Amino acid sequence: MSGHSKWATTKRHKAVIDSKRGKIFSALSKDMTLAAKASGGDPEFNPRLRTLIIKAKAANMPADNIDRAIKKGTGEIPGVVYEEHLYEGFALGGVGLIVEVTTDNKNRTVAEVRSVFTKHGGHMASPGALAFISSGGGSF
């Protein structure tokens, strides 16, 4: 016997597991909030929400967390407001990209997306530019 506490090893092991579960729970919670906001909080009439609830139960997410995420989406509980946005841009060589993001801070996100485009030799396009090209309104 080494004389050391087994609790120290157990504590580190539990911390790793709890961290992984927390990441999964927060991602599922955010997705459930968005699904409830988009199509309502009733899983019978919202297939996306129903699928996410099944995934959450498979990951052993507590029922209180599931209910809280749905209530945030329907507006019953105030909280962080997540929004989905589309950004358009051109990558190196003129390849058109449409980037779909979910964010709680639009200003920070647009700056990050613009930064990624410029670091890799591309640039942001005005909203609707790629939709205009793909619908036959323009050509390369």
Side-chain angles (χ1 to χ4, degrees):
M1 298 244 303
S2 62
H4 297 291
S5 171
K6 291 182 184 177
W7 171 244
T9 305
T10 304
K11 182 172 62 173
R12 284 191 295 274
H13 180 70
K14 287 173 74 77
V16 169
I17 292 172
D18 288 345
S19 174
K20 289 178 184 177
R21 288 180 69 204
K23 286 180 184 179
I24 292 169
F25 289 176
S26 63
L28 287 170
S29 178
K30 183 172 66 170
D31 289 343
M32 281 190 279
T33 300
L34 288 170
K37 182 178 181 181
S39 302
D42 189 1
E44 291 183 23
F45 300 111
N46 188 343
R48 181 177 168 199
L49 180 61
R50 183 173 47 244
T51 303
L52 288 168
I53 290 172
I54 292 169
K55 285 183 182 180
K57 287 182 178 179
N60 294 324
M61 186 172 180
D64 292 341
N65 292 14
I66 294 171
D67 292 338
R68 193 177 321 115
I70 293 170
K71 287 180 181 178
K72 279 183 186 177
T74 57
E76 296 175 40
I77 298 175
V80 177
V81 178
Y82 293 106
E83 300 171 341
E84 292 179 338
H85 295 282
L86 288 176
Y87 297 107
E88 301 175 10
F90 293 100
L92 196 61
V95 176
L97 298 174
I98 297 176
V99 180
E100 183 178 350
V101 297
T102 302
T103 183
D104 60 340
N105 186 337
K106 182 180 176 184
N107 293 330
R108 179 187 68 226
T109 304
V110 73
E112 289 178 5
V113 171
R114 183 176 289 119
S115 173
V116 170
F117 271 115
T118 56
K119 282 181 185 177
H120 297 286
H123 63 278
M124 296 270 296
S126 59
L130 292 174
F132 177 75
I133 290 171
S134 66
S135 67
S139 62
F140 287 98

